[in-house]
Each structure stands twice: as structure tokens, then as C-alpha cells.
């Protein structure tokens, strides 16, 4: 049977796998067994799945596959941040994911789309336009490849996932939700819901849908304290202005004691970094259980903005902190390899140079060379 007709089991979360097995005359518990092999042990060869009968293994290899995007490049920053470029449509499309190792946690920043439709004026992903949504398989594969690569290097696996790579996760709702289910599933990556964060530029209807679907952490890219400015920076604001956005934030957290929103605020020199902006911001979010992350703007070629000075960022942070808003300045990580927020472009125009680098990279990251 040609490969295209096979069901890629990486696309199925527990519920999907259970239906798949039941439809094919098997017991639902096969789903849990399969998830343990694939996601916990990193085994993708059906022959090795020894607690399944031989006929079942034969059925699986004839009718299904476990298919990953191809790893084409990897880079490591001087600060330890690592970035992987994954080829998903032959030579046309590539996506990136970024690993940020810290003492107490190892965070993977995952992409949800190739490109993005939202066109935020300070984001380099926007500049490449939108190509397509990633499938659940392509989203979970980023975690699978990196997590099992780390384990085979004898390192701590991924402990946190942030959907802050390329794309708007809430505009690829179903695929992202299935992937998030797998991230949190005890038979897969068993990440606690607090350690999985969906970041949105403010797709209000999808935020409202999220309320009943999941319990993961929610980050909201606010970036401006009034509609006039936010309309320019985050154009989806023209459709869902701040008032509606904050209502959706309330509906996500109200009635759930443990939930709070993380607001993201990119620091753009002379654009949104004045004390007047800080004062408006306090009025806007005071009273919402939240934390504010200030992200120093990460530059890229032809960017029309500059990052605020560090003294301005400090002043802005202190203004907010002293008025009761928990405010943290995010340290830029991995900007020497274009891995910082908003620098993920994912294209690979010069394939030959990339693949040369990939060959070199593979030697250094032997543990990841099992990717196929
Ligand atoms: N679409 C989602 C995820 C995108 S990226 C969202 O908008 O939340 C994650 C964060 O990086 C967002 O807050 C985004 O606005 C921010 N970002 C984008 N470009 C940036 C840049 N050049 N410098 C700093 N942060 C940037």
C-alpha cells in the first residue's frame, strides 16, 4: 500500500488512537500501549513493540506509519539555546523549534503553523506570510525528536513546552489541542498542565472555546495598552479589540483559582515603552490574576523597530512592579542563532549550505541523528 494511504499514528491523541483500535477490532487499551512505546520510550519500529501480538504488529506496519518531518539543520547558541530546522514539505517549507535549557527546567518552544496570517508588525515570522497549518503529527514530532534526542545524550528531557514558535496556535485549534493532549497525557510526555503554555495574539472566539477544552497555561501577546497602538502592532486587534480580549481572559480564569494569564509585552523603543504606556497598562490589567513578561525586542534584518534601552525597560518594569503587577523582564536567549522570540523564519533558501551544516551538526548532536 502506498505510504500516503497509511494512517500516521503521530496524528492521533489517546482518544483518536482508541477509536482507531476499536474500529479495527482491537481493545482500547492498545492505545495506551502504543503511546508508551512511541512517546515514552521513543520506539517507532512496530517489530519492537513486543507486548502486541504479531498479527497486530503486522497490521500496524501494513496500514499505519509513524512519520516525522526530516531534521535538516541544528544550531547551538553560545548561551546553550539550541534550534532545530525541520523540513516538512520537501524543499518548500521548513519550521523551527527552539530549546532553552535552564537549571531547573528545559523549555521547548514549538511551532504551530508554517508562517503566520496575523502580520504583527514587529515579528519576522509575519514577513514570510502564511503557508499552512501544521498537522498534529508535525507539532508533536518537534517534542518527540528533541525530547528523545536529549535523553539519548544522557540529558534531562523536555520539562516545559511553550507554543511560542512560528504561527498562531489558536488558528490551528484542533491540531494544537490534540498535540497538547499528548504532551499532558500520562502515557505520553506527562507534562503537567502548568508546564504547557499556549500563546495567542488574541483570537477571541478561540480563547472562549479554550475555556472548556483544556486547562493549560495561557499567554496573551498584549504589547500595547490602548487600541490605537495595538491596532498597529497586532492587527488582529482591529477585529478583537482590547476590551473583548480582556473579557476573554476573564472567562478563561474566572472561577478557576489556579489559572492566571501571562501577558507578553515586547519592548519597542519609543513606541510602547513610555511611563504613560506603563500607567495605561496598570489600569488595564490591575485586578486580573496575571503576570507580565517584558520581552526586549529581538532585531532581525530589515526590522523597522529597535529594542528599548535597558534603563527604559528597568524603569518600565519598576513602575509596574511597584503598582502590584508581577513583572519580569525576559532574558533574550539564542539571538546569535536567530532563535529568540520573533526571529524564527524557518525558510531555507540555500539548501546546499544548510545541508552541509546539517552534516556537521549531526556529528555534534549524535543523539538526534535517529530522526528520520
Ligand atoms: N502567535 C502567538 C505566538 C507567537 S511568538 C502569539 O502571538 O502569542 C511568541 C511571542 O514572541 C509573542 O508574544 C510575540 O509577539 C513575540 N515576538 C514576536 N516577534 C518578536 C520580536 N522580534 N522580539 C520579541 N518578541 C517577539
Amino acid at each position: 500500500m502506498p505510504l500516503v494511504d497509511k494512517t500516521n499514528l503521530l496524528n492521533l491523541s489517546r482518544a483518536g488512537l482508541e477509536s482507531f483500535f476499536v474500529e479495527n477490532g482491537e481493545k482500547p487499551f492498545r492505545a495506551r500501549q502504543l503511546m508508551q512505546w512511541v512517546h515514552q520510550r521513543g520506539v517507532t519500529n512496530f517489530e519492537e513493540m513486543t507486548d502486541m501480538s504479531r498479527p497486530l504488529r503486522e497490521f500496524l506496519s501494513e496500514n499505519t506509519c509513524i512519520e516525522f518531518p526530516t531534521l535538516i539543520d541544528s544550531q547551538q547558541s553560545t548561551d546553550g539555546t539550541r534550534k532545530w530546522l525541520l523540513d516538512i514539505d520537501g524543499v518548500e517549507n521548513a519550521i523551527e523549534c527552539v530549546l532553552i535549557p535552564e537549571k531547573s527546567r528545559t523549555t521547548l518552544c514549538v511551532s504551530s503553523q508554517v508562517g503566520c496570517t496575523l502580520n504583527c508588525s514587529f515579528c519576522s515570522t509575519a514577513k514570510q506570510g502564511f503557508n499552512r497549518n501544521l498537522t498534529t503529527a508535525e507539532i508533536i514530532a518537534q517534542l518527540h525528536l528533541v525530547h528523545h534526542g536529549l535523553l539519548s545524550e544522557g540529558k534531562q528531557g523536555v520539562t516545559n513546552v511553550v507554543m511560542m514558535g512560528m504561527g498562531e496556535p489558536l488558528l490551528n485549534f484542533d491540531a494544537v489541542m490534540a498535540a497538547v493532549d499528548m504532551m499532558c497525557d500520562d502515557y505520553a510526555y506527562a507534562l503537567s498542565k502548568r508546564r504547557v503554555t499556549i500563546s495567542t495574539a488574541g483570537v477571541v472566539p478561540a480563547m472562549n472555546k479554550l475555556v472548556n477544552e483544556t486547562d493549560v497555561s495561557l499567554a496573551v501577546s498584549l504589547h500595547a495598552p490602548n487600541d490605537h497602538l495595538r491596532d498597529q502592532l497586532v492587527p488582529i486587534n482591529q477585529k478583537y479589540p482590547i476590551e473583548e480580549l480582556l473579557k476573554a481572559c476573564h472567562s478563561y480564569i474566572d472561577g478557576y483559582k489556579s489559572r492566571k494569564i501571562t501577558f507578553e509585552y515586547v519592548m519597542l523603543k519609543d513606541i510602547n515603552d513610555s511611563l504613560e504606556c506603563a500607567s495605561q497598562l496598570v489600569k488595564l490589567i490591575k485586578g486580573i490574576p496575571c503576570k507580565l513578561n517584558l520581552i526586549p525586542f529581538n532585531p532581525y534584518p530589515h526590522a523597522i523597530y529597535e529594542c528599548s534601552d535597558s534603563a527604559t525597560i528597568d524603569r518600565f518594569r519598576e513602575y509596574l512592579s511597584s503598582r502590584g503587577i508581577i513583572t519580569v523582564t525576559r532574558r533574550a536567549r539564542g539571538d546569535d542563532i536567530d532563535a529568540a522570540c520573533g526571529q524564527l523564519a524557518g525558510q531555507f533558501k540555500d539548501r546546499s549550505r544548510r545541508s552541509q551544516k546539517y552534516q556537521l551538526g549531526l556529528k555534534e548532536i549524535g543523539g538526534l541523528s535517529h530522526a528520520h
Side-chain angles (χ1 to χ4, degrees), residues 16-260:
L17 277 176
E18 284 175 352
S19 316
F20 173 82
F21 278 112
V22 169
E23 275 159 25
N24 288 287
E26 282 289 336
K27 292 272 174 350
F29 76 86
R30 296 293 184 198
R32 301 197 296 267
Q33 283 180 321
L34 189 103
M35 290 183 92
Q36 284 181 309
W37 282 112
V38 176
H39 297 290
Q40 288 187 347
R41 301 182 191 129
V43 169
T44 53
N45 177 355
F46 296 119
E47 274 313 296
E48 291 176 42
M49 300 181 183
T50 45
D51 53 5
M52 305 219 195
S53 68
R54 176 157 297 280
L56 176 56
R57 281 184 267 157
E58 274 164 16
F59 169 81
L60 289 175
S61 51
E62 270 164 31
N63 297 286
T64 74
C65 59
I66 296 171
E67 210 168 62
F68 294 87
T70 315
L71 177 63
I72 38 177
D73 192 14
S74 87
Q75 285 173 274
Q76 178 147 9
S77 155
T78 48
D79 67 17
T81 303
R82 295 165 77 172
K83 178 167 91 167
W84 289 270
L85 187 72
L86 302 171
D87 177 0
I88 56 162
D89 286 326
V91 290
E92 285 158 51
N93 281 326
I95 49 152
E96 293 177 319
C97 61
V98 174
L99 185 78
I100 305 144
E102 289 167 295
K103 263 205 197 94
S104 57
R105 59 182 172 194
T106 301
T107 304
L108 183 67
C109 180
V110 167
S111 294
S112 56
Q113 298 181 314
V114 189
C116 191
T117 54
L118 295 183
N119 210 16
C120 297
S121 60
F122 52 86
C123 179
S124 81
T125 302
K127 305 291 172 280
Q128 67 164 287
F130 175 70
N131 196 295
R132 71 169 173 84
N133 280 331
L134 293 183
T135 61
T136 299
E138 289 159 345
I139 297 168
I140 205 67
Q142 298 170 58
L143 176 56
H144 189 288
L145 294 173
V146 173
H147 181 69
H148 289 288
L150 289 172
L151 295 183
S152 63
E153 291 172 5
K155 298 200 170 102
Q156 167 176 254
V158 173
T159 62
N160 292 57
V161 171
V162 291
M163 300 290 311
M164 293 186 186
M166 297 162 64
E168 168 52 49
L170 293 189
L171 288 178
N172 186 11
F173 198 86
D174 294 341
V176 165
M177 285 301 126
V180 162
D181 279 352
M182 283 187 243
M183 292 170 191
C184 299
D185 196 301
D186 284 345
Y187 291 88
Y189 301 92
L191 299 178
S192 96
K193 297 192 188 291
R194 275 184 310 113
R195 291 172 175 268
V196 176
T197 301
I198 293 183
S199 181
T200 180
V203 186
V204 165
M207 289 170 72
N208 290 332
K209 216 166 124 192
L210 204 62
V211 179
N212 304 316
E213 290 246 349
T214 184
D215 202 18
V216 294
S217 301
L218 184 63
V220 173
S221 296
L222 190 55
H223 303 320
N226 59 63
D227 284 328
H228 179 67
L229 186 53
R230 195 163 191 270
D231 280 351
Q232 296 162 39
L233 300 180
V234 186
I236 197 178
N237 194 69
Q238 294 162 20
K239 203 163 174 192
Y240 308 114
I242 291 178
E243 198 185 330
E244 285 184 40
L245 177 63
L246 294 185
K247 255 194 227 149
C249 292
H250 271 294
S251 68
Y252 195 70
I253 51 180
D254 289 354
Y256 298 88
K257 269 208 184 104
S258 58
R259 290 188 187 178
K260 68 174 165 198

